[in-house]
Amino acid sequence: MGKKFALNIFYNLAIILSIFGLVWCYNNHKYLPAGFLVGVTACLFYFKYQLTKDIRKSFKEKDQK
């Protein structure tokens, strides 16, 4: 369970850094890297959503025992 929480923290930090990078790219008119960062951020949100579903599922199974 601890690995999942650490992974969740990593996803949060990566999303925050991606958003900062996206803002920096937009302000400096670097649109190609900004497009890449949009894709990276979307993937991180998807993986974070899947991880959150898995953590909730494991808590529900733990409560039923």
Side-chain angles (χ1 to χ4, degrees):
M1 188 58 75
K3 290 181 183 180
K4 290 182 182 180
F5 286 124
L7 192 59
N8 191 19
I9 291 170
F10 170 74
Y11 285 151
N12 286 337
L13 290 175
I15 289 169
I16 290 168
L17 287 175
S18 296
I19 291 172
F20 282 141
L22 182 64
V23 170
W24 180 84
C25 287
Y26 182 76
N27 287 337
N28 291 315
H29 306 289
K30 308 277 185 189
Y31 298 116
L32 188 60
F36 173 74
L37 286 172
V38 167
V40 167
T41 306
C43 288
L44 288 169
F45 271 121
Y46 174 74
F47 291 142
K48 182 173 171 46
Y49 175 71
Q50 293 297 325
L51 181 66
T52 305
K53 281 183 18 181
D54 187 39
I55 290 173
R56 285 183 184 171
K57 181 180 173 186
S58 65
F59 275 134
K60 286 181 182 178
E61 289 174 356
K62 193 174 186 180
D63 287 341
Q64 289 177 355
K65 290 183 179 180

